[in-house]
């Protein structure tokens, strides 16, 4: 009922939001866009994407930003929270004819104040290597479109390499290139190198070195995004067929898979330590997948439309040590290093197992929180905290109670908690105040769904007993993957062959926390119950997967480790869920002093982290000048 009454408030564009660490504020003077600052007519155009690189400039202002809007590509000095953006002086600007830029990526290894290597993918399938500082165009790959004629959906430099890069297309194929090689004047001939379940890797047959070095075909449909693990050894691929596939990149071996509840997966990212992967897509969910266990460990529902970007916030991921437990061998510094920088995966896994064995007598337990974020076509930004009650469900609940905000302030302490409950919400039949509130507005689901006391839930979102949109049987399911060689000690990354029509940028994000002090957050929770999956989403899905075999496959995977049912995994509630744009959001990047978002109108926005807003004078009041005014 508050949903109807608060319609005006719900449509307001937010300029700040509060989390446990403080207030994030929109810096209106730090908005980047086309020089004329006119909103871009985004109908039919490719998503706006943003790339950053640091050129290690001696002046201390080494950040550079690249973004595409329609047929245009811009390259600026990025001043972030320090100074207002001066849009009249782009370092480089390019306008393309006949094709549009769709994605781009800087090589951090070769970047200097005098030269940067920027890869740009295009809607007609070409890939360009340019230097926007020297204003040079050094090479054009797939120029004759002999390798692939479909749109480039994702392009990335191979981590640690100055010459190798990987390109994904909407055809569902991925190609490995070397900048030193030519593409040849004839279509490449391929030879099978490795084949597995729903994927194949071919080498290019040629007497002389030529591109592509390898061709990956993964799954069915477009490959929407891929992401390399922090150590560069694994590849995670999000595909239009709804599968997340994780491969060992060098060996081209499938490590694990997961399936969305329905529709395609559009985006994917890794946690900074490489232990978890988050994916988002057309089921409006964010799904957290454990790399070591090859299974879904949580899902988050807060978006009311497709999730276009997920990203981990490496700065807010925290490990709070008390006295180290007896089982933990190694220094606190070692453990911090693993969490923050993804030291060796074997060490990380051993730390994980030691954490799981912790006993309840520790007075100051280790507390782990990953923060990640997501943005979607619903114009909303969601932040999530992934806490140890979800990561290590066998730890004593007396500890986890302080790390989840499942109870409203008026609820009595949870009773009847069992050791196999991952979080401390055990009010059966949703009798606490928060559940009642959130169900009362779930348009047509007046009665909350009764939940078994053993159901793991975190930052608990109520499960609607019957979604009003009718597009999901009980709720969306993320997915978990266990379907291949999960025993391999070497993690694998996915090279998915699925592609998403909206080509979303990839960013790793972590999040999941408890402290939820603002009561108005309930307004958002109310509107994110499962009933809000609209039939429109399901119509789009039906158009995309016209074949009946797709529906049969969904039926086969639901309830398996690939795609567990909603009630079988913890359901996360967003820590923050705010409408921050008029058009669909296509970018989310976490930087040290700020986070950066962008929408399809072509506006790239900077949000100062708590305590960082004072770095830009006259910015303390977001309303003191219209958006986009240069000071």
């Amino acid at each position: 009922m508050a949903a109807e009454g608060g319609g005006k408030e719900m449509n307001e564009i937010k300029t700040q939001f509060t989390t446990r660490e403080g207030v994030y504020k929109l810096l209106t003077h730090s908005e980047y866009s086309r020089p004329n600052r006119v909103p871009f007519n985004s109908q039919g155009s490719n998503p706006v994407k943003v790339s950053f690189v640091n050129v290690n400039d001696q002046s201390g202002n080494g950040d550079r930003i690249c973004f595409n809007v329609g047929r245009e590509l811009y390259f600026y000095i990025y001043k972030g929270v320090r100074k207002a953006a001066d849009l009249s002086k782009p370092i480089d600007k390019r306008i393309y004819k006949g094709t549009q830029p769709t994605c781009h990526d800087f090589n951090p290894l070769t970047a200097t104040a005098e030269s940067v290597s920027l890869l740009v993918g295009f809607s007609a399938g070409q890939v360009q290597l340019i230097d926007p500082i020297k204003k040079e165009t050094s090479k054009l790959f797939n120029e004759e479109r002999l390798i692939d004629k479909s749109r480039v959906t994702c392009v990335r430099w191979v981590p640690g390499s100055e010459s190798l890069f990987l390109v994904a297309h909407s055809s569902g194929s991925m190609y490995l290139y070397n900048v030193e090689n030519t593409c040849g004047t004839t279509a490449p001939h391929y030879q099978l190198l490795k084949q597995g379940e729903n994927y194949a890797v071919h080498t290019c047959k040629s007497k002389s070195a030529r591109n592509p070095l390898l061709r990956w075909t993964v799954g069915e449909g477009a490959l929407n995004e891929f992401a390399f693990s922090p150590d560069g050894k694994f590849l995670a691929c999000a595909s239009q067929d709804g599968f997340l596939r994780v491969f060992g990149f060098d060996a081209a071996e499938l490590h694990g898979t997961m399936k969305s509840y329905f529709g395609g997966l559009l985006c994917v990212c890794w946690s900074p330590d490489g232990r978890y992967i988050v994916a988002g897509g057309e089921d409006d969910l964010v799904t957290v997948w454990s790399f070591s266990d090859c299974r879904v460990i949580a899902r988050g529902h807060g978006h009311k439309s497709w999730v276009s970007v997920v990203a981990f916030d490496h700065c807010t991921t925290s490990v709070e040590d008390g006295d180290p437990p007896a089982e933990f061998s190694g220094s606190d510094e070692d453990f911090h290093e693993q969490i923050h920088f993804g030291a060796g995966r074997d060490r990380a896994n051993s730390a994980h197992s030691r954490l799981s064995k912790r006993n309840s007598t520790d007075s100051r337990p280790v507390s782990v929180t990953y923060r990640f974020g997501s943005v979607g076509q619903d114009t909303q930004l969601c932040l999530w905290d992934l806490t140890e009650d979800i990561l290590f469900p066998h730890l004593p609940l007396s500890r986890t109670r302080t790390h989840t905000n499942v109870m409203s302030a008026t609820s009595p302490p949870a009773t009847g908690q069992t050791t196999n409950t991952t979080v401390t919400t055990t009010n059966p039949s949703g009798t606490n105040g928060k559940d009642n509130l959130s169900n009362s507005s779930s348009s047509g689901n007046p009665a909350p769904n009764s939940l078994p006391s053993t159901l793991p839930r975190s930052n608990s979102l109520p499960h609607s007993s019957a979604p009003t949109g009718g597009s999901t049987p009980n709720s969306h399911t993320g997915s978990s993957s266990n379907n291949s060689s999960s025993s391999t000690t070497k993690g694998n990354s996915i090279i998915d062959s699925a592609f998403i029509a909206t080509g979303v940028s990839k960013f790793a994000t972590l999040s999941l926390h408890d402290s939820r002090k603002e009561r108005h957050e309930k307004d958002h929770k109310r509107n994110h119950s499962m009933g809000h999956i609209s039939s429109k989403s399901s119509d789009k899905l039906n158009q995309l997967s016209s074949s009946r075999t797709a529906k049969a496959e969904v039926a086969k995977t639901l309830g398996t480790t690939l795609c567990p049912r909603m009630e079988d995994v913890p359901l996360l509630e967003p820590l923050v869920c705010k409408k921050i744009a008029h058009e669909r959001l296509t970018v989310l990047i976490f930087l040290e002093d700020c986070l950066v978002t962008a929408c399809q109108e072509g506006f790239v926005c900077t949000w100062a982290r708590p305590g960082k807003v004072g770095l830009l004078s006259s910015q303390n009041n977001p309303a003191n000048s219209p958006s986009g005014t240069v000071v």
Side-chain angles (χ1 to χ4, degrees), residues 596-619:
V596 175
T597 61
C599 70
Q600 197 53 28
E601 285 186 316
F603 296 117
V604 181
C605 297
T606 298
W607 300 76
R609 290 185 186 271
K612 304 293 185 180
V613 69
L615 297 178
L616 184 58
S617 58
S618 79
Q619 189 52 53

Side-chain angles (χ1 to χ4, degrees), residues 242-244 256-260 265 279 287 289 296 478-481 562:
F243 280 91
L244 168 74
T257 59
M258 143 191 132
K259 175 70 173 62
S260 69
L265 285 179
T287 302
W289 190 78
V296 174
S479 42
S480 138
S481 108
L562 278 178

Side-chain angles (χ1 to χ4, degrees), residues 156-459:
R156 294 272 182 266
W157 291 97
V158 174
S161 174
E162 295 186 3
S163 57
L164 298 178
F165 62 93
L166 194 60
V167 181
H169 289 259
S170 60
S171 62
S173 294
M174 264 189 323
Y175 303 90
L176 180 66
Y177 287 82
N178 187 324
V179 294
E180 308 299 332
N181 295 353
T182 63
C183 289
T185 55
T186 58
H189 294 278
Y190 297 104
Q191 181 173 354
L192 182 65
L193 176 67
K194 179 160 263 184
Q195 195 165 14
E197 186 175 352
N198 288 318
Y199 82 97
V201 182
H202 292 80
T203 57
C204 184
K205 289 171 60 179
S206 176
K207 293 180 180 177
S208 58
R210 66 162 286 179
N211 284 318
L213 304 177
L214 293 176
R215 180 185 73 177
W216 295 65
T217 51
V218 186
E220 298 177 7
L223 193 135
N224 291 322
E225 188 174 51
F226 63 83
F228 283 100
S229 61
D231 61 9
K233 294 180 180 178
F234 302 95
L235 184 70
C237 300
S239 298
Q240 192 57 42
D241 63 4
F243 280 91
L244 168 74
R245 296 178 177 88
V246 183
F247 296 93
F249 182 61
D250 292 338
E253 291 179 348
L254 184 64
H255 170 75
T257 59
M258 143 191 132
K259 175 70 173 62
S260 69
Y261 187 78
F262 65 81
L265 285 179
L266 307 181
C267 51
V268 62
C269 66
W270 292 78
S271 65
D273 56 9
R275 295 188 194 179
Y276 304 101
I277 295 172
V278 172
E282 295 174 0
D283 54 10
D284 304 355
L285 297 172
V286 293
T287 302
V288 185
W289 190 78
S290 167
F291 176 85
S292 58
D293 297 339
C294 289
R295 66 180 184 88
V296 174
I297 60 168
R299 294 196 184 93
H301 188 256
H303 288 285
K304 293 180 279 189
S305 186
W306 296 357
V307 179
S308 49
V309 184
V310 288
F312 275 89
D313 181 356
H314 57 284
C315 296
T316 313
T317 295
S318 64
V319 182
E320 301 161 10
D321 291 328
D323 301 321
E327 300 91 339
F328 185 82
S329 52
S331 66
D332 292 351
E333 288 77 11
D334 289 342
F335 190 65
H336 274 279
E337 186 181 33
Q338 289 166 13
I339 292 295
H340 286 288
F341 306 109
R345 192 175 309 274
D346 292 337
R347 288 175 56 205
N349 285 341
S350 61
H352 179 287
S353 61
R354 286 193 288 266
L355 264 176
S356 303
K357 294 175 185 171
R358 297 184 43 75
N359 63 56
S360 56
T361 60
D362 295 326
S363 57
R364 298 176 60 199
V366 175
S367 167
V368 185
T369 302
Y370 293 86
R371 163 71 54 79
F372 68 94
S374 57
V375 295
Q377 297 193 10
D378 56 1
T379 72
Q380 293 193 131
L381 164 70
C382 290
L383 295 182
W384 314 81
D385 272 350
L386 188 59
T387 44
E388 74 276 12
D389 55 344
I390 297 298
L391 304 176
F392 317 123
H394 302 300
L395 292 180
L397 287 176
S398 59
R399 198 181 115 225
T400 61
R401 181 178 300 123
T402 61
H403 292 281
T404 16
N405 65 333
V406 239
M407 296 304 188
S408 68
T410 57
S411 306
T415 54
Q417 291 156 345
T418 56
T419 48
N420 63 346
T421 347
T422 33
V423 289
T424 59
T425 173
T426 51
N427 268 7
S429 72
T431 52
N432 68 47
K434 184 176 291 188
D435 278 0
N436 285 333
L437 253 179
S438 73
N439 274 283
S440 66
S441 69
S442 61
S443 64
N445 283 353
N449 187 18
S450 294
L451 298 168
S453 60
T454 55
L455 172 66
R457 303 171 68 206
S458 172
N459 291 354

